[in-house]
């Protein structure tokens, strides 16, 4: 799993799931930098994590689906 500290564009093919919001070490935010899974808003791992946690996925307009 790769990560980036800058949020990817919503229309990109990068997952972008926010995995960390700051921390006590103050090393900042972390976003998943894996490629979106085909037909999903996130990579396979994050997609399943969201479903397990929230039961559904609702995204704002402008978010790309994996190709």
């Amino acid at each position: 799993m790769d990560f980036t500290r800058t949020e990817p564009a919503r229309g990109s093919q990068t997952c972008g799931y926010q995995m960390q919001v700051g921390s006590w070490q103050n090393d900042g935010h972390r976003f998943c930098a894996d490629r979106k899974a085909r037909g999903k808003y996130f990579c396979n791992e994050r997609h399943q994590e969201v479903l397990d946690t929230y039961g559904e996925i609702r995204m704002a307009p402008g978010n790309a689906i994996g190709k």
Side-chain angles (χ1 to χ4, degrees):
M1 173 201 51
D2 291 329
F3 72 89
T4 179
R5 297 197 184 282
T6 57
E7 185 174 8
R10 296 184 321 167
S12 74
Q13 289 296 303
T14 302
C15 176
Y17 183 82
Q18 188 167 4
M19 303 181 305
Q20 177 181 321
V21 181
S23 71
W24 66 272
Q25 297 120 340
N26 198 24
D27 64 350
H29 305 298
R30 287 187 181 194
F31 299 90
C32 179
D34 293 341
R35 186 166 176 77
K36 290 181 180 179
R38 183 179 297 270
K40 299 177 181 176
Y41 288 108
F42 304 108
C43 64
N44 281 322
E45 184 178 351
R46 305 291 166 233
H47 178 83
Q48 193 58 50
E49 186 178 325
V50 171
L51 286 179
D52 292 346
T53 303
Y54 302 106
E56 66 180 325
I57 296 176
R58 298 166 74 186
M59 300 295 286
N63 285 284
I65 294 176
K67 294 181 180 181

